[in-house]
Amino acid sequence: MDYLEGLNPEQKAAVLQTKGPVMIIAGAGSGKTRVITFRVAHLIRSGVDSFNILVLTFTNKAAREMRERINHICGPEAKNIWMGTFHSVFAKLLRVEADKIGYPSNFTIYDTDDSKSVLRAILKEMQLDDKLYSVNFVLNRISAAKNNLVAWTEYQQNDQIQADDISSGRPMMGKIYETYAQRCYRAGAMDFDDLLFKTNELLKRYPEVLNKYQHRFKYLMVDEYQDTNFSQYLIVKRLAAVNENICVVGDDAQSIYAFRGANIQNILNFEKDYPDLKVFKLEQNYRSTQNIVNVANSVIANNKEQLKKNVFSEKESGDKIKVMRAFSDNEEGKLVADAIMFQRSSNGLKWHDFAILYRTNAQSRSMEEALRKNGIPYKIYGGLSFYQRKEIKDLIAYFRLTFNPNDEEALKRVINYPKRGIGDTTVDRIIVAADKNSITPFEVILEPHRYVEKAPASLTAFAVMIQSFQVLTKTLTAYEAALHIAQHSGLLKDLYEDKSVEGLNRYENIQELLNGIKEFSEREDIEEKGLDVFMQDVALLTNDDKDKNKDADTVSLMTIHSSKGLEFPQVHIVGLEENLFPSQMSLNSRSDLEEERRLFYVAITRAEYKLTISYATSRFKFGTLISCEPSRFLDEIDAQYLELDFTAKPAPSAGSFDDERSAWTRKNDTYSKPKAATAPPVKTTSILAKAHIPSPDFKPSDTTNLQVGMQVEHERFGFGKVISLEGNKPDIKATIFFKEIGQKQLLLKFAKLSILSGIE
C-alpha cells in the first residue's frame, strides 16, 4: 500500500472506492492522472485481473504515461489492461469482431485527408458546386451525424434533417453521405468517426458480442469524461451495464469541445444514470499559485451550469495577474516579447518556460513577428505534423495497400508514384470500371485487359509487386517489411536521386520513419510487432505524439484548445477583447458564452507561477483597422488579484494619438476623437473604474419592454441610460452609457438590469 502514501485524503478515498459507480470531479492541477493511475494499480493489487480492466483516455500520450506508472507499481501483472484512447481501444475491438458487420479485420483507418479526398471525388462525380458543398462542411455534417449515431439511411428519412439541408440550399447532402459510406465500405475502410459509430452498431446488433465485453470489462475508467460525445457516452453506458463498476473522471469547468460534439450534460447528469453514485471532489490545485487559482475561480463562478467545487491552492500567493493594454495587435506582440525577454533574463528561466495562448490561429502572426524581431526562438503547435508530410503519407500508402488492396485512396496515391506510365486517364478508367462492375479498383488491376481499354503493361507489374509485398510481410518484422517496401516500390530511390535541399529533407524524413519502425520492432513491452500493428498505431496518433522536437528550448505558441492538459511556469493570454474572446459567434446563447468562459478558465489554469493577460484597443480585420473593447471576462476578475500595466505609449501604426488619447487612467475612461487622429475613436470599459456597489434594494427587472431613454442600474457597471436597442428577441442588444465607465453594449437576456425610471 506504499503507493497510497503522498495522496491527500480525498485522492486516497477516490482510489480506495473500487466498487460501484464513482465520479471524480478533478479541478485543474489537482493530480487526477495520479489518482487514475493509483486507482488502477490498487485494483490489480487487490486481486482484480488486469484482463478485466478498461481505461479510456483522450490522448495516446496520457495512456502511455499511465501505463508506464502502473507497470512500475504492478510489474507484469498489469500487461493485459486495455488502455488507450476511445478510438485506439475500439479499433482494436473492431479488428477482432469486424467480420460480423461485413468488414475485413485488416480494414484501413482513413485520416481526415483521406476522407476529404473521397468526398472531393464524390462531389466531382455528382457535379455539385464545391463552394456550396465545401469538403469541410460536408465532412463536418457527416461527422456530426455519426457522432449522434445517425446512419445515412436514417439521415435521409429524417424530415427535420432533410428540411435543414433544403433550407441551407444543400438538398443532396443525404445522397453524398450515402455514397461516402458505401465508398468507404467498398474500400474496407473506416474513418475516425466510424470507429465509434461501428462499435455502437456492433454492440447494438449483436447481443452476444455486447455480453462478451460486458463480462470481460468488469471495471471501467473514463478520463476527461466532460469531453465525451453521445456516441462515446452510449458505448460506455452499454459496457458498464452489467457490473456498474464505472469510474468517470473530469471537470465540467474544462469542457471546451462542444464544436467537436462533446456534450457537457454527460458529466452534469451522470448521477441520473447512477443514483447510487459516489462523488469525490479533488479541489486542491498543486500547479498554480493562490492568486492564479483565485482569478480562475472568480471567472468560472459566473457560469450557471456547473458542478460546484471550491478549488484552492496552498502554494504561495504569488504575483498578481498583470493586465497589459496595447494600442494595436502589433504593439501587443511587442509588449509580450519584451515581457518574456525581461522575465527570462531576470529570473534565469528557459525559453520553454513561456507559453503564449490565443483564441484563434490568426492571432499568432503579430506574436511571431515580435518574437522574430527579438531573436526569440518559438514553436507553433498544431502545424503540419510529421505523419502529414507527403513523402511519409506516400510510403504509408504503400503499407496500407499491402495489408488492404481494396484501399482506393492508397491505391490512387501510389499507383503512379514513382512514375510507372499509369496516367490519370487510366486511373479514371479503372475507377469507372470498378463502379460499373461493383468490384474494387485493385480487382480491375488484377485483370486489366478484361476491364480497361488500352491498359498499360505496368498495371500488371504493379499488381504483382503489391501481391509480393503481401507475401513477404507475413514472415518479416515490421522494420524488414517496411524497408523492403520502401526499396522495391522505387520510392526510396526516387527520393535519394533528388539532390535538392527539399529532396534531401524528404529522404531524411523517410529514414526517420524507418528508424521509428525499427525502434517499434525492438520494443520488449509488446508481443505483436508486425508492420500491420505499427500501422494501426500510426493511424491513431495525435499531433502531440508526432512531434519529435517537443523538448526543444522554444517559447510555445498555441490556441487555448491545444493547451488543454499542458502547464507552463509563465503564461501570456493575448487578445482579451469582445468579439474575439469571447468569440462573436458565442454571443447568441448562454451555453455558447459559458463554453467560452470555460475556455478562459482553461487558459488561466495553464499557468504555474506567473500569468499575464493582454488586449489591444485596435486590431486589423480584413484590412481595416477596427476599435476593440476589452473582454467582459476582464470585468469578471476580482480586482484585488490584478496589477494593471497601462503604461504603453500609442504605436505609430495605430495612428496619431495625442496626449488626450493616452489618458487611460482617468476615472472616466472615454474621450472624443481629436481632429488630427487617423485611427477610429476607441470606446472602452476600463477595468480601472471604481467598483459599483449596488443599491440595497437592487433587483434585476424584466427588460422585455426596455426602451431607449430609460434610466437603469447594473450591479457592476452602475447607473446608466439606454442609448439604443438593436436585434430581435431573444437576442436584443442594448447600448448603455454608464456614468462611471462610459458606453457599453449588453445582451439583455444576460444583462441583469434594474429599470429605475421611464423615458427622459
Side-chain angles (χ1 to χ4, degrees), residues 446-464:
L446 289 174
E447 300 181 85
H449 298 294
R450 177 179 175 184
Y451 296 107
V452 181
E453 184 181 349
K454 298 179 181 178
S458 51
L459 277 179
T460 300
F462 177 76
V464 170

Side-chain angles (χ1 to χ4, degrees), residues 394-402 414 417-418 420 465 485 489:
D394 288 338
L395 182 52
I396 286 177
Y398 272 109
F399 298 164
R400 283 168 45 177
L401 200 58
T402 297
V414 299
Y417 178 71
R420 49 178 62 92
M465 179 182 69
I485 293 171
S489 65

Side-chain angles (χ1 to χ4, degrees), residues 703-758:
T703 55
T704 305
N705 297 314
L706 188 71
Q707 297 179 46
V708 173
M710 285 185 169
Q711 297 290 324
V712 296
E713 180 183 6
H714 186 278
E715 60 183 341
R716 299 192 68 179
F717 305 145
F719 299 101
K721 180 180 179 180
V722 181
I723 297 174
S724 66
L725 297 167
E726 60 181 86
N728 300 312
K729 295 178 182 179
D731 299 317
I732 297 176
K733 293 181 181 178
T735 301
I736 302 171
F737 184 84
F738 292 100
K739 294 178 182 178
E740 292 294 325
I741 64 170
Q743 190 169 301
K744 190 167 182 67
Q745 193 174 63
L746 303 173
L747 201 58
L748 283 186
K749 59 185 176 184
F750 303 133
K752 295 182 181 178
L753 296 172
S754 174
I755 300 175
L756 303 178
S757 65

Side-chain angles (χ1 to χ4, degrees), residues 594-613:
E594 291 200 350
E595 172 135 340
E596 287 287 292
R597 190 175 285 112
R598 292 194 295 270
L599 191 59
F600 187 37
Y601 177 87
V602 166
I604 293 169
T605 54
R606 298 312 93 200
E608 296 175 1
Y609 302 107
K610 188 170 183 64
L611 174 65
T612 304
I613 300 171

Side-chain angles (χ1 to χ4, degrees), residues 40 44 50-51 53-55 67 70 78-83:
V40 175
I44 296 171
S50 61
F51 186 80
I53 300 173
L54 170 63
V55 183
R67 186 179 289 279
I70 295 166
K79 70 177 183 179
N80 290 321
I81 298 172
W82 274 42
M83 176 184 288

